[in-house]
Amino acid sequence: MPKAKISRPDQSDTPNQSCPIGVFDSGSGGLTVLHALQVAFPTNDFIYFGDHQRAPYGEKTGPEVYEMTRQAVQFLFDQGCNLVVLACNTASAIALRKLQQEWLPSYAPDKRILGVLVPMVETITDRPWIKWEQHPQQYLQGTVGIFATEATVKSKTYLVEIGKRAPQLDVIQQACPELVPALEAKKGTVTTDALVECYVSQLVEENNKIPNWIMLGCTHYPLLKEAFEKAAAKIIGNIMGQGVPILCQPSICADSLKDYLNRHPELATEATKQQGKTVYFTSGDPDYVEKTTAIFRSHTLSGNNNQALWIKAL
């Protein structure tokens, strides 16, 4: 990934606390996570990078996803980030662990990479990621239904990681390949609501199980939370006679990052200003990306004047 530099204070005279937090996604879905982080850390600076030119990652092989994610993280490190959040389920499921264990120790041992997958697994299983072996969740029973992209479902990462921490919990998954294209093409609520209802029906019928919790395992899907709530009430609520909790990644990831920075204050940002700034990079065409991300501004950035001006990462 070619290096693109932005204007920032001389890092030689600035402690780690002034470094921006990097947020990466293969496309635009990570903007929902970014927004939650902006709300949770209003004085922080952020740098968002969307690899729109090579999206979607779900169609790529595992080695391709790893290498593209590594390049993106390195790009954000080059911009001055000491901490990068992978706001992409595919990258988190396929590349994160290898990056943390094999690449980061030699390339940038003082920097950190986090992902959206870990906070969701911790929330569902009520067990910390690292020390779960000492006290696995033996008594948590029921079924969690995960809606995600095809690549995330095929990776089985959620299924495996939840299973290790809560072996009595059933995990059923449903790939939703048409949701992201419909959202980005602005098909409208009639189309997206119908698609969501179809996928919820498929999950129930193909697995012959009723989920006690629903997890939205794609960072685009918070835009469709109301659609999932309606579909769950119609299809599942009629059977169970009660609502089904729906877990969304943005707020959970923001809470998790707060906890992480409390435990790692050397990566935290000092509150030296009233409002942080965000810089947006894309590997694609900035004008096109600005148009196609308007849906995220209308759904998640209302009341926030942080309109994205995209910069070509060249």
Side-chain angles (χ1 to χ4, degrees), residues 9 44 56 67 74 78 87 118 151 168 203 228 236 247 264 269 289:
N44 273 70
E67 180 56 23
Q74 183 174 337
D78 287 343
V118 170
Q168 302 302 318
L203 178 81
F228 276 99
I236 301 172
L247 305 178
H264 298 274
T269 299
V289 172

Side-chain angles (χ1 to χ4, degrees), residues 174-212:
Q174 177 62 50
C176 310
E178 296 181 70
L179 280 185
V180 171
L183 267 173
E184 296 193 342
K186 302 176 184 177
K187 293 291 186 181
T189 56
V190 173
T191 298
T192 53
D193 284 4
L195 285 171
V196 168
E197 185 174 326
C198 178
Y199 287 131
V200 172
S201 295
Q202 280 184 248
L203 178 81
V204 173
E205 293 171 3
E206 292 180 4
N207 293 279
N208 196 29
K209 293 180 179 179
I210 304 298
N212 303 95

Side-chain angles (χ1 to χ4, degrees), residues 60 108 119 132 143 149 157 170 199 250 285 302 309:
K60 307 294 194 295
W132 64 269
T143 300
T149 64
T157 304
D170 285 329
Y199 287 131
D285 174 53
S302 57
L309 296 176

Side-chain angles (χ1 to χ4, degrees), residues 25-312:
D25 186 24
S26 58
S28 303
L31 291 170
T32 61
V33 175
L34 172 66
H35 173 62
L37 297 181
Q38 289 170 327
V39 172
F41 304 96
T43 63
N44 273 70
D45 291 337
F46 292 91
I47 299 178
Y48 183 89
F49 175 59
D51 194 8
H52 297 90
Q53 186 175 10
R54 298 187 292 190
Y57 278 17
E59 300 174 356
K60 307 294 194 295
T61 66
E64 287 176 322
V65 170
Y66 170 81
E67 180 56 23
M68 292 186 298
T69 304
R70 186 198 64 77
Q71 291 174 9
V73 172
Q74 183 174 337
F75 172 81
L76 287 167
F77 284 166
D78 287 343
Q79 308 314 307
C81 300
N82 281 344
L83 171 65
V84 172
V85 177
L86 303 185
C88 173
N89 282 273
T90 302
S92 296
I94 295 174
L96 178 59
R97 178 170 292 182
K98 186 176 180 181
L99 286 171
Q100 291 173 328
Q101 295 179 349
E102 300 180 15
W103 179 71
L104 196 61
S106 59
Y107 180 80
D110 59 331
K111 299 180 186 292
R112 296 292 180 267
I113 311 170
L114 305 176
V116 293
L117 185 145
V118 170
M120 296 300 285
V121 172
E122 290 182 328
T123 297
I124 291 169
T125 63
D126 193 28
R127 286 295 180 268
W129 186 261
I130 301 297
K131 298 181 179 180
W132 64 269
E133 296 98 333
Q134 300 173 9
H135 303 285
Q137 178 63 275
Q138 296 288 356
Y139 305 105
L140 181 62
Q141 297 184 357
T143 300
V144 57
I146 299 176
F147 295 89
T149 64
E150 287 186 289
T152 299
V153 169
K154 287 179 181 178
S155 75
K156 298 183 179 179
T157 304
Y158 275 114
L159 192 151
V160 170
E161 297 298 343
I162 292 172
K164 288 191 297 188
R165 291 159 177 80
Q168 302 302 318
L169 187 65
D170 285 329
V171 180
I172 56 178
Q173 302 186 97
Q174 177 62 50
C176 310
E178 296 181 70
L179 280 185
V180 171
L183 267 173
E184 296 193 342
K186 302 176 184 177
K187 293 291 186 181
T189 56
V190 173
T191 298
T192 53
D193 284 4
L195 285 171
V196 168
E197 185 174 326
C198 178
Y199 287 131
V200 172
S201 295
Q202 280 184 248
L203 178 81
V204 173
E205 293 171 3
E206 292 180 4
N207 293 279
N208 196 29
K209 293 180 179 179
I210 304 298
N212 303 95
W213 306 271
I214 285 176
M215 191 198 89
L216 304 185
C218 172
T219 50
H220 276 77
Y221 295 176
L223 303 186
L224 297 171
K225 185 179 179 182
E226 290 185 6
F228 276 99
E229 289 173 341
K230 288 191 293 185
K234 179 178 179 180
I235 297 165
I236 301 172
N238 287 341
I239 300 172
M240 296 180 63
Q242 61 186 31
V244 181
I246 296 179
L247 305 178
C248 271
Q249 291 180 319
S251 59
I252 290 174
C253 289
D255 289 341
S256 178
L257 186 58
K258 282 183 179 180
D259 178 69
Y260 183 85
L261 292 178
N262 284 335
R263 290 182 284 111
H264 298 274
E266 72 279 6
L267 295 171
T269 299
E270 291 179 339
T272 57
K273 51 197 168 184
Q274 291 184 340
Q275 186 69 40
K277 294 187 293 186
T278 302
V279 178
Y280 298 83
F281 283 105
T282 177
S283 61
D285 174 53
D287 292 335
Y288 178 78
V289 172
E290 186 171 353
K291 292 177 182 177
T292 57
T293 55
I295 186 173
F296 292 92
R297 292 197 298 274
S298 62
H299 279 76
T300 66
L301 301 180
S302 57
N304 186 335
N305 293 322
N306 195 7
Q307 182 169 343
L309 296 176
W310 293 88
I311 302 170
K312 178 73 172 178

